[in-house]
Amino acid sequence: MEDSTDFLATKIPSLEKFEDNLRCPICRELLLRAPKITECGHTFCGECIDRHLNNETRCPLCRLEVQRAQLRANKSLESAVEEWKLNRDKLLHQLTLEQNSNTREHKDDNEKHEHTGVLNNVEIQHNPNVKTMSVCPICSKTLPISEIQGSHIDTCLQTNSSRSKRKRPFFEPIPTKKLSLPFFATLSDAKIRILLAENGLISKGSRAKLIQRFQEYFTLYNNNLDLKTPEPVSNLRKKMSLWEKTQNNNTNDLKELDAKEWTSQHQTQFDELITSAKKTAEKKNTPEKNSENVINLTQTEPQTKLKNGEVSESDNESEI
Amino acid sequence: MALPKRIIKETERLVTDPVSGIIATPHEENLRYFDVSLEGPPGTPYEGGVFKLELFLPEDYPMTAPRLRFLTRIYHPNIDRLGRICLDVLKDHWSPAMQIRTILLSVQALLSSPNPDDPLANDVAAIWKENEPLAVQTAKEWTEKYAM
């Protein structure tokens, strides 16, 4: 997967740090999607920082106070990153080639070959690790030539043409006006439901879920308008339905995990836990010596659960 | 449930370019759940020990902190007997710009500098304050007993 660490294996490994600064500290993608700069001078994807500000009011990097209204588009950086993105694969390809040929020359020097030129070529073919790479003319990814000439071109053509179809704006006008975030505390559930329905969103669920849903849509919608080529609203609705799925899946998964698997797998450990707990309870009832421990236990009890790893506290307990 | 790109990238990097003294491997059936082993930092009573931890990335990671817990018993004022860790960056000081590797480094740093003034294990912290050599000795013994 594309990452700044790609440059670590090249002739100029410090480009890793350079590219790291062109990536959003939150999602680690290149800052191509309407990046925004905070008052403290840090830049994030518009969507990422917006979503973060739903929970918090501090900069993820330096913890200074940040307000949504003070965010500004960082256009120079966006353009710079666009240029970087256009040339990134070529550069990476070039630097990797140079790196490889350098190491090969060293090898040849050591082995004292006379016809290094010819031998180099032979080596390329024989060394399976050094495939002849080329840049795909459609998606401009660097891939082995054999792969590009094989299946890659076809799949690349297909995905690209379907992508351009989706972007065509003739059927669906792109909205121009941004949504405003209401002050939820003063709105009744019914009003929030109406608001959701007006935007074509699901209006079921608890109050917290309704608010979360609107916040997510608000983040997607307004940041979409900041993009150089905004997507039609139908795409945002698709993203929202994906979002709904992750929300539902999550709770279902957890319920199943909690109830069935964990209990059956770890019944014996739970039993041990219960008996040991009863024992300590009996001990504590008699003398008053252990009062400190009681406080300690009650203080720490509520946080015990490690979401998915609930079991393991019993592991530990049995060790004790 | 789709795994965010960021998690995949972080995992790739943890495996290909690990931090010294820290190994984190994801479970195959649940890529949000990691087994971690952490070497006790040199010059501390935990030196020579290898401590096992579990790490879980919640659904809204990186907007919320990873959940992290010691599985190996450890004698430390900020780690209780269930392995729970009292560390600001795991709680209110979490920021989405942090990563699994930075969090694990923070835990390693916590082993190097125990903070008995903000304790989680009250009994350990009390001894740590009253009689530090004894506490360090006990920590060493526990390391030998549980982490070697």
Side-chain angles (χ1 to χ4, degrees):
Chain A
M1 192 166 287
E2 184 193 291
D3 188 53
S4 52
T5 49
D6 294 347
F7 287 95
L8 286 176
T10 67
K11 208 180 164 191
I12 313 178
S14 57
L15 280 177
E16 189 261 330
K17 284 203 181 104
F18 174 79
E19 201 195 66
D20 197 46
N21 282 297
L22 303 184
R23 288 180 180 270
C24 168
I26 297 179
C27 68
R28 308 270 154 198
E29 294 297 308
L30 285 173
L31 288 161
L32 290 164
R33 294 180 62 85
K36 292 201 175 130
I37 186 164
T38 59
E39 256 197 317
C40 47
H42 295 117
T43 305
F44 306 88
C45 300
E47 260 179 52
C48 289
I49 188 68
D50 251 356
R51 214 169 274 142
H52 171 71
L53 292 177
N54 285 337
N55 313 321
E56 266 240 42
T57 56
R58 289 178 186 278
C59 167
L61 284 174
C62 66
R63 295 187 205 291
L64 282 177
E65 198 75 23
V66 174
Q67 276 161 14
R68 196 175 264 130
Q70 290 161 339
L71 295 175
R72 294 286 175 268
N74 192 344
K75 294 197 173 166
S76 317
L77 185 68
E78 186 178 8
S79 312
V81 176
E82 269 168 14
E83 288 304 315
W84 171 255
K85 170 78 180 166
L86 283 177
N87 294 293
R88 180 186 194 273
D89 285 340
K90 264 181 249 163
L91 182 69
L92 189 60
H93 175 59
Q94 193 60 38
L95 289 176
T96 324
L97 272 190
E98 281 175 25
Q99 175 78 357
N100 284 345
S101 69
N102 271 356
T103 49
R104 248 197 328 270
E105 270 161 30
H106 287 305
K107 235 192 254 168
D108 289 343
D109 285 347
N110 292 341
E111 292 165 12
K112 287 180 188 169
H113 284 310
E114 283 176 10
H115 307 287
T116 38
V118 181
L119 280 169
N120 269 348
N121 285 336
V122 175
E123 258 187 49
I124 290 174
Q125 283 165 2
H126 283 279
N127 186 349
N129 293 329
V130 190
K131 286 180 185 162
T132 354
M133 305 289 274
S134 184
V135 177
C136 167
I138 296 153
C139 67
S140 62
K141 271 184 191 156
T142 312
L143 293 163
I145 283 191
S146 56
E147 200 176 311
I148 294 184
Q149 288 171 339
S151 58
H152 176 77
I153 284 260
D154 286 339
T155 49
C156 204
L157 272 172
Q158 275 172 3
T159 50
N160 264 30
S161 63
S162 59
R163 201 177 292 156
S164 59
K165 259 180 222 158
R166 253 185 275 141
K167 274 188 182 166
R168 209 172 289 166
F170 306 118
F171 307 107
E172 236 188 297
I174 305 282
T176 48
K177 220 178 151 191
K178 284 198 177 180
L179 289 176
S180 58
L181 196 61
F183 188 56
F184 287 110
T186 58
L187 286 185
S188 65
D189 289 10
K191 284 212 173 126
I192 302 178
R193 289 211 169 87
I194 293 171
L195 194 63
L196 286 167
E198 278 173 357
N199 285 289
L201 300 170
I202 302 171
S203 52
K204 285 179 201 161
S206 64
R207 183 179 171 87
K209 184 100 285 168
L210 297 178
I211 294 176
Q212 268 180 16
R213 186 177 293 130
F214 192 80
Q215 279 178 333
E216 178 66 19
Y217 187 65
F218 168 84
T219 303
L220 287 176
Y221 189 96
N222 282 5
N223 280 293
N224 180 48
L225 292 188
D226 289 336
L227 294 180
K228 288 196 174 162
T229 46
E231 299 171 13
V233 175
S234 62
N235 278 11
L236 302 183
R237 301 242 164 86
K238 271 180 208 154
K239 283 185 187 172
M240 281 308 288
S241 63
L242 267 178
W243 180 84
E244 301 285 352
K245 271 181 198 161
T246 60
Q247 304 287 314
N248 291 334
N249 272 352
N250 185 21
T251 48
N252 285 345
D253 279 0
L254 278 181
K255 266 180 207 160
E256 269 174 37
L257 271 180
D258 282 355
K260 292 172 196 163
E261 284 186 30
W262 282 153
T263 356
S264 63
Q265 273 179 27
H266 302 284
Q267 191 58 51
T268 49
Q269 285 173 338
F270 285 136
D271 290 343
E272 277 173 35
L273 245 183
I274 293 167
T275 45
S276 75
K278 276 182 185 163
K279 269 184 205 164
T280 46
E282 276 168 27
K283 272 182 206 165
K284 274 168 208 161
N285 279 340
T286 40
E288 49 184 57
K289 188 192 148 198
N290 281 340
S291 58
E292 207 178 86
N293 276 345
V294 180
I295 295 166
N296 190 11
L297 272 180
T298 44
Q299 270 178 349
T300 43
E301 216 62 58
Q303 306 169 348
T304 308
K305 290 184 179 173
L306 250 197
K307 213 168 186 176
N308 226 15
E310 266 125 307
V311 247
S312 6
E313 53 183 272
S314 51
D315 292 346
N316 240 3
E317 197 74 28
S318 54
E319 271 177 42
I320 303 163
Chain B
M1 212 184 329
L3 203 63
K5 267 189 186 173
R6 157 156 172 175
I7 296 185
I8 301 173
K9 279 185 195 178
E10 275 200 64
T11 310
E12 271 181 359
R13 180 135 190 240
L14 278 171
V15 175
T16 56
D17 175 27
V19 195
S20 75
I22 297 172
I23 304 168
T25 23
H27 276 211
E28 264 175 43
E29 71 275 21
N30 182 359
L31 294 171
R32 287 174 176 272
Y33 188 85
F34 290 72
D35 287 323
V36 179
S37 29
L38 190 127
E39 285 172 22
T44 68
Y46 312 105
E47 184 173 358
V50 177
F51 297 87
K52 297 238 175 294
L53 293 92
E54 59 176 2
L55 184 146
F56 179 71
L57 304 174
E59 178 61 32
D60 44 358
Y61 176 84
M63 291 306 165
T64 55
R67 315 234 178 167
L68 187 61
R69 197 174 77 90
F70 271 84
L71 295 175
T72 310
R73 292 270 274 149
I74 182 166
Y75 194 80
H76 190 290
N78 310 105
I79 301 163
D80 74 1
R81 57 200 211 99
L82 296 179
R84 289 168 299 183
I85 307 163
C86 178
L87 187 61
D88 54 356
V89 287
L90 284 173
K91 306 206 168 94
D92 48 340
H93 272 61
W94 166 256
S95 132
M98 290 178 179
Q99 305 179 40
I100 301 174
R101 60 169 57 224
T102 50
I103 270 302
L104 292 176
L105 280 169
S106 306
V107 172
Q108 223 179 18
L110 183 70
L111 295 190
S112 306
S113 52
N115 179 8
D117 293 322
D118 181 21
L120 188 60
N122 287 330
D123 45 343
V124 180
I127 296 174
W128 214 282
K129 275 191 187 168
E130 284 162 19
N131 187 349
E132 199 177 323
L134 174 69
V136 169
Q137 184 56 36
T138 319
K140 268 187 197 161
E141 283 164 14
W142 281 38
T143 306
E144 278 170 29
K145 193 171 166 192
Y146 298 110
M148 284 188 194

